[in-house]
């Protein structure tokens, strides 16, 4: 009985399990039918042929343009990105079937086939994603929209970048051309104001403009194989060149110039009608400008080298003058070699000048111009120091041409026994083999030729740091360079209150290149820790020195300290201005600019009214007034103090 009950319970249990499986199967089957109907209703599992065609056409219409624009920028394309409906209108084909030519159609067919394959793959990917589209959040949609706009934004950036590059290429040659000193290296340019001749007449400018246009059209005519027109333009160009010659104003042109201008204008009009193309002309002009700029830079380098070479040389006339005077001086008896009024040399109540020079003619101009403009010439005393080579010539000149009632005395720097290599660091350095090697080797090919002038190897140039040793009995002294001209009475300088400073000088920091960082090496810690790179520079050439304060401050000792530290030329290169700026740092009193006007030896645009109102004008630079390369505009201020009828000057063929 128990056995029957157990069997019955097993049968019932089995029936229950079987019914559960049946129910589960029915539920699964019905769920499958529902999802199948859902997908079929969406048209995703069984798309119609019409849908396929439309999809292929649609995607190809979008993908073709995107592939052409973006494959090089983005690498392999993800077609899925471009199937979205948020593409820019600029990336869609409009009327493709009716407007494309055969070539375009063949290209479109090839790209379309590729697009169909990619589209079918994309559809499969989208089928996997669409069933969970209801889970998408706003952040995902925003990212998709940004990805869709990315190609369009990138194209805009590329167009903008290309435009900026083009503008930069056009502007660079023009900027370089503007940076060239047109007053020295050129007389005319379309892109900058004429400095040398502000009132240049219109016909000269017209001819120059026509010549530039003719060169452009000749090049274009040859490119277009219009050889007759090119030949005609070349003939007119030669005529214009002959007509212009060296003329800078209309008055210098040949009387046939107006007819030449009309004839050239007719040919240019003809060329303009046949050849004008804005893009090509712009390219030709740009090429011409770049070529001219390269030529100007090359010529500027050559000009710099030649001007430096000319500045180092001694003209034949000056050499002749020095030799003749030297011979005659040593033929004089010793009694005749003495200057009068020697008692004034140490009188602190008089006006004393220090002049260190090896140029007889230049020294004579400084002395003559000072005396001729002095109110009380008898109160002025000139202390002139030269080298042994020019000592006889300097003495002979001023014995023959005494400065009126003023006092003059000439000394030989080589007779200063205290000025030796054990006391003077710069003398020790100048005598070293390293300095000579640096000077002579660098002089051959260095760009900084201005530092290679022989005057930097002369102790006359460095003697300015030893004024109390040279003149121990004096309280104040006015230092003058030999390339200056005095135009007014200078006695007012001795009354200037220096406010406890040592050096009275005119500052030159109107331009950035006259500040300390342009003279000193601020990468060196000794310079960086002790000086302000923006500190204002000042000019040597006319300086009033208080020798009492000089001795108290031990200025010569300060100079020796910096000179010793510059043994390897790491603080500055050569010259006396950099160590002067360092030595008198914080000890210089600024004078009014009208006392001292600079630049007449290098700057052709110095204002004439400033020159005429200046007490002293300075020919600093390479274009010294006694050289042939002097600027003709400024040279008369210097030559007016020379007597060209003097027998020595006439015999040595020195002329204005």
């Amino acid at each position: 009985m128990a056995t029957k009950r157990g069997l019955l319970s097993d049968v019932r249990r089995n029936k229950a399990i079987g019914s559960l499986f049946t129910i589960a199967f029915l539920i699964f089957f019905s769920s499958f039918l529902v999802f199948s109907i859902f997908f079929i209703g969406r048209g995703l599992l069984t798309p119609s042929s019409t849908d396929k065609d439309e999809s292929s056409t649609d995607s190809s219409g979008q993908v073709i343009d995107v592939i052409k624009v973006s494959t090089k920028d983005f690498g392999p394309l993800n077609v899925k990105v471009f199937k979205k409906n948020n593409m820019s209108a600029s990336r869609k084909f409009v009327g493709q079937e009716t407007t494309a030519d055969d070539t375009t159609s063949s290209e479109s067919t090839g790209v379309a086939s590729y697009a169909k394959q990619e589209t079918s793959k994309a559809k499969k990917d989208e089928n996997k994603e669409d069933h969970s589209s209801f889970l998408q959040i706003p952040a995902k949609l925003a990212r998709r929209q940004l990805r869709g706009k990315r190609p369009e934004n990138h194209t805009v950036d590329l167009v903008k970048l290309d435009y900026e590059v083009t503008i930069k290429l056009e502007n660079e040659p023009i900027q370089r051309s503007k940076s060239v000193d047109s007053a020295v290296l050129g007389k005319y340019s379309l892109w900058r104001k004429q400095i040398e001749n502000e009132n240049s007449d219109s016909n000269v400018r017209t001819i120059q403009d026509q010549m530039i246009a003719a060169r452009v059209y000749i090049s274009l005519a040859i490119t277009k194989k219009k050889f007759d027109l090119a030949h005609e333009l070349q003939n007119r160009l030669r005529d214009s060149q002959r007509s212009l010659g060296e003329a800078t104003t209309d008055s210098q042109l040949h009387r046939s110039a107006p007819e030449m201008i009309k004839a050239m204008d007719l040919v240019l009009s003809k060329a303009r009608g046949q050849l004008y193309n804005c893009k090509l002309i712009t390219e030709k002009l740009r090429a011409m400008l770049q070529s001219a700029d390269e030529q100007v830079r090359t010529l500027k380098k050559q000009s710099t080298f030649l001007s430096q070479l000319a500045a180092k040389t001694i003209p034949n006339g000056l050499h002749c003058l020095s030799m003749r005077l030297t011979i005659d001086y040593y033929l004089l008896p010793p009694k005749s070699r003495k200057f009068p009024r020697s008692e004034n040399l140490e009188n602190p109540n008089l006006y004393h000048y220090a002049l260190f020079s090896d140029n007889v003619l230049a020294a004579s101009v400084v002395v003559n111009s000072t005396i001729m403009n002095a109110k009380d010439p008898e109160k002025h005393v000139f202390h002139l120091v030269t080298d042994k080579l020019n000592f006889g010539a300097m003495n002979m000149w001023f014995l023959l041409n005494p400065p009126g009632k003023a006092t003059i005395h000439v000394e030989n720097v080589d007779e200063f026994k205290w000025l030796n290599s054990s006391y003077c660091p710069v003398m020790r350095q100048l005598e070293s083999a390293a300095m000579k090697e640096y000077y002579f080797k660098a002089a051959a090919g260095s760009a900084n030729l201005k530092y290679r002038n022989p005057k930097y190897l002369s102790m006359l140039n460095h003697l300015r740091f030893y004024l109390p040793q040279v003149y121990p009995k004096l309280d104040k002294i006015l230092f003058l360079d030999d390339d200056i001209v005095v135009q007014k009475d200078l006695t007012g300088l001795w009354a200037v209150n220096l406010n406890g400073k040592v050096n009275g000088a005119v500052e030159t920091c109107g331009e950035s290149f006259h500040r300390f960082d342009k003279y000193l090496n601020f990468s060196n810690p000794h310079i960086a820790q002790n000086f302000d790179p923006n500190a204002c520079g000042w000019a040597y050439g006319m300086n009033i020195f208080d020798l009492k304060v000089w001795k108290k401050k031990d200025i010569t000792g300060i100079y020796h300290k910096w000179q010793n530290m510059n043994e390897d030329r790491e603080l500055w290169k050569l010259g006396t201005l950099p160590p002067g700026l360092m030595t008198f740092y914080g000890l210089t009193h600024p004078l009014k600019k009208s006392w001292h006007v600079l630049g007449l030896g290098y700057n052709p645009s110095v204002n004439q009214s400033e020159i005429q109102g200046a007490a002293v004008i300075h020919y600093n630079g390479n274009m010294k007034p006694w050289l042939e390369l002097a600027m003709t505009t400024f040279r008369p201020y210097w030559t007016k103090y020379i007597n060209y009828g003097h027998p020595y000057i006439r015999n040595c063929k020195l002329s204005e």
Side-chain angles (χ1 to χ4, degrees):
M1 195 68 181
T3 304
K4 286 183 180 180
R5 285 177 184 173
L7 290 171
L8 183 60
S9 62
D10 290 338
V11 169
R12 287 177 181 173
R13 190 180 297 112
N14 291 335
K15 284 183 180 181
I17 293 170
S19 62
L20 287 173
F21 276 106
T22 303
I23 293 169
F25 176 78
L26 289 174
I27 292 171
F28 177 79
F29 183 75
S30 60
S31 300
F32 178 79
L33 287 177
V34 170
F35 275 96
S36 300
I37 292 169
F38 176 78
F39 281 111
I40 293 170
R42 287 288 301 273
L44 296 174
L45 293 175
T46 57
S48 64
S49 60
T50 307
D51 291 336
K52 288 180 180 179
D53 294 339
E54 289 176 358
S55 175
S56 299
T57 305
D58 237 3
S59 49
S60 65
Q62 294 176 356
V63 172
I64 288 170
D65 194 19
V66 172
I67 289 173
K68 288 182 179 179
V69 174
S70 305
T71 50
K72 291 183 180 179
D73 299 328
F74 294 95
L77 284 173
N78 185 354
V79 182
K80 179 172 60 178
V81 175
F82 302 116
K83 283 176 62 61
K84 307 302 176 185
N85 293 325
N86 60 354
M87 290 194 65
S88 170
S90 64
R91 296 183 175 277
K92 298 181 181 180
F93 277 58
V94 179
Q96 181 181 351
E97 294 84 355
T98 57
T99 59
D101 56 14
D102 294 338
T103 304
T104 308
S105 298
S106 62
E107 292 177 356
S108 301
T109 304
V111 177
S113 63
Y114 171 79
K116 286 180 181 180
Q117 296 174 5
E118 294 297 319
T119 305
S120 62
K121 294 179 183 177
K123 276 184 170 292
K124 292 179 182 178
D125 294 338
E126 284 191 348
N127 289 339
K128 295 177 183 178
E129 292 180 359
D130 280 349
H131 73 279
S132 59
S133 60
F134 60 89
L135 296 174
Q136 289 181 347
I137 59 176
K140 276 190 175 183
L141 293 174
R143 283 197 297 271
R144 287 194 175 190
Q145 289 177 357
L146 289 174
R147 284 198 298 269
K149 291 180 180 179
R150 198 177 296 161
E152 179 182 356
N153 294 337
H154 189 69
T155 303
V156 172
D157 292 339
L158 288 175
V159 171
K160 182 179 178 182
L161 179 62
D162 183 63
Y163 175 76
E164 291 175 351
V165 170
T166 302
I167 294 298
K168 185 177 179 181
L169 288 173
E170 290 178 353
N171 288 339
E172 279 181 353
I174 296 174
Q175 293 302 323
R176 286 199 303 270
S177 177
K178 287 180 179 178
S179 68
V180 176
D181 188 354
S182 58
V184 175
L185 298 175
K187 294 180 181 296
Y188 181 77
S189 173
L190 290 172
W191 299 278
R192 59 180 179 262
K193 180 184 176 182
Q194 286 177 287
I195 297 176
E196 197 166 285
N197 189 3
E198 296 182 356
N199 299 317
S200 182
D201 295 339
S202 59
N203 283 344
V204 171
R205 294 198 301 270
T206 300
I207 293 174
Q208 291 167 332
D209 287 342
Q210 287 181 338
M211 289 167 63
I212 293 173
R215 291 188 181 97
V216 173
Y217 283 122
I218 287 171
S219 178
L220 292 177
I222 293 173
T223 303
K224 300 290 185 181
K225 297 183 178 180
K226 295 182 180 292
F227 299 111
D228 292 340
L229 181 57
H231 182 68
E232 188 175 0
L233 285 165
Q234 285 173 342
N235 290 336
R236 290 299 176 191
L237 179 60
R238 281 195 294 268
D239 292 342
S240 295
Q241 289 172 336
R242 284 195 296 267
S243 177
L244 181 63
E246 299 294 327
T248 56
T249 60
D250 284 2
S251 60
Q252 297 172 340
L253 290 172
H254 191 269
R255 59 186 178 183
S256 63
E259 286 75 16
M260 294 280 187
I261 292 174
K262 291 179 181 178
M264 175 64 92
D265 195 45
L266 290 174
V267 178
L268 290 176
S269 298
K270 180 180 176 181
R272 193 177 298 111
Q274 297 182 29
L275 302 172
Y276 185 78
N277 183 308
C278 186
K279 183 179 179 181
L280 288 177
I281 289 177
T282 301
E283 291 175 353
K284 293 293 181 184
L285 286 172
R286 187 188 302 166
M288 289 172 62
L289 182 59
Q290 290 174 338
S291 175
D293 187 61
E294 290 296 327
Q295 292 178 6
V296 166
R297 282 192 286 166
T298 300
L299 292 173
K300 192 173 184 179
K301 288 181 181 178
Q302 294 176 356
S303 175
T304 301
F305 174 78
L306 293 174
S307 64
Q308 294 289 344
L309 185 62
K312 296 176 184 179
T313 60
I314 301 174
N316 287 336
L318 288 180
H319 181 70
C320 166
L321 180 63
S322 181
M323 292 299 100
R324 285 176 178 267
L325 289 169
T326 300
I327 293 170
D328 290 348
Y329 174 75
Y330 288 108
L331 293 176
L332 289 176
K335 292 182 180 180
S336 302
R337 298 178 186 176
K338 295 182 180 180
F339 290 99
R341 295 181 288 275
S342 59
E343 66 278 3
N344 292 334
L345 296 177
E346 296 180 349
N347 185 348
N349 298 319
L350 301 179
Y351 306 119
H352 295 266
Y353 300 85
L355 175 61
F356 309 145
S357 175
D358 58 0
N359 187 325
V360 175
L361 199 62
S364 72
V365 169
V366 174
V367 174
N368 289 345
S369 62
T370 304
I371 296 304
M372 290 177 67
N373 292 285
K375 293 179 179 178
D376 299 310
E378 66 276 3
K379 294 183 179 181
H380 295 261
V381 181
F382 293 91
H383 302 266
L384 204 157
V385 181
T386 188
D387 55 21
K388 62 182 177 182
L389 184 64
N390 295 280
F391 178 73
M394 204 73 74
N395 275 281
M396 188 65 188
W397 176 264
F398 287 106
L399 287 170
L400 293 173
N401 307 280
K405 297 180 180 180
T407 303
I408 193 165
H409 180 61
V410 180
E411 294 180 271
N412 181 1
V413 68
D414 297 301
E415 293 179 357
F416 295 162
K417 301 304 180 184
W418 53 267
L419 195 63
N420 51 60
S421 56
S422 62
Y423 172 68
C424 179
V426 72
M427 179 170 281
R428 183 179 67 251
Q429 293 168 12
L430 292 176
E431 292 175 351
S432 68
M435 176 65 77
K436 293 176 181 177
E437 182 181 6
Y438 171 77
Y439 178 83
F440 290 108
K441 283 192 175 181
S446 174
N448 296 324
L449 289 173
K450 65 181 180 179
Y451 295 116
R452 318 306 179 198
N453 196 302
K455 72 178 183 179
Y456 296 126
L457 295 178
S458 171
M459 275 309 298
L460 286 175
N461 198 43
H462 299 272
L463 195 61
R464 63 192 69 191
F465 293 104
Y466 299 96
L467 291 174
Q469 286 83 351
V470 182
Y471 310 110
K473 300 289 183 67
L474 300 181
D475 296 333
K476 276 190 176 182
I477 196 165
L478 183 63
F479 172 79
L480 297 177
D481 266 339
D482 64 356
D483 55 352
I484 63 103
V485 173
V486 178
Q487 301 186 126
K488 294 184 178 180
D489 181 55
L490 300 180
T491 54
L493 286 170
W494 277 267
V496 172
N497 184 3
L498 298 181
N499 297 313
K501 304 295 178 65
V502 183
N503 175 26
V506 171
E507 292 183 335
T508 58
C509 55
E511 302 291 341
S512 61
F513 60 83
H514 282 143
R515 297 189 182 273
F516 271 45
D517 62 341
K518 301 304 178 184
Y519 297 102
L520 305 176
N521 178 19
F522 274 86
S523 63
N524 187 290
H526 296 294
I527 299 295
Q529 293 170 10
N530 290 281
F531 303 100
D532 178 8
N534 293 316
C536 186
W538 44 267
Y540 261 134
M542 190 214 69
N543 308 77
I544 184 73
F545 290 110
D546 189 326
L547 300 184
K548 284 185 176 181
V549 182
W550 182 308
K551 295 171 186 176
K552 289 180 182 179
K553 301 286 185 181
D554 190 20
I555 296 300
T556 303
I558 297 173
Y559 165 69
H560 281 174
K561 181 190 76 170
W562 290 116
Q563 192 69 52
N564 280 320
M565 294 175 65
N566 196 45
E567 185 80 28
D568 297 325
R569 296 173 301 280
E570 292 184 356
L571 305 185
W572 72 89
K573 297 300 180 183
L574 291 175
T576 54
L577 181 56
L581 296 176
M582 299 166 70
T583 301
F584 295 101
Y585 184 65
L587 299 172
T588 300
H589 174 77
L591 300 176
K592 291 182 179 179
K593 292 188 180 296
S594 59
W595 279 113
H596 188 189
V597 170
L598 299 102
L600 279 72
Y602 73 91
N603 183 9
S605 57
V606 179
N607 192 289
Q608 292 286 345
S609 61
E610 290 182 0
I611 294 174
Q612 293 169 4
V616 170
I617 55 175
H618 195 170
Y619 291 84
N620 57 314
N622 289 325
M623 300 179 184
K624 302 299 184 186
W626 55 84
L627 299 175
E628 290 186 4
L629 52 79
M631 284 182 277
T632 55
T633 307
F634 304 141
R635 198 164 185 265
Y637 294 106
W638 187 80
T639 56
K640 66 186 288 187
Y641 294 104
I642 297 175
N643 177 15
Y644 284 96
H646 193 283
Y648 280 91
I649 292 178
R650 189 175 62 250
N651 291 336
C652 287
K653 299 180 180 178
L654 288 165
S655 61
E656 297 184 59

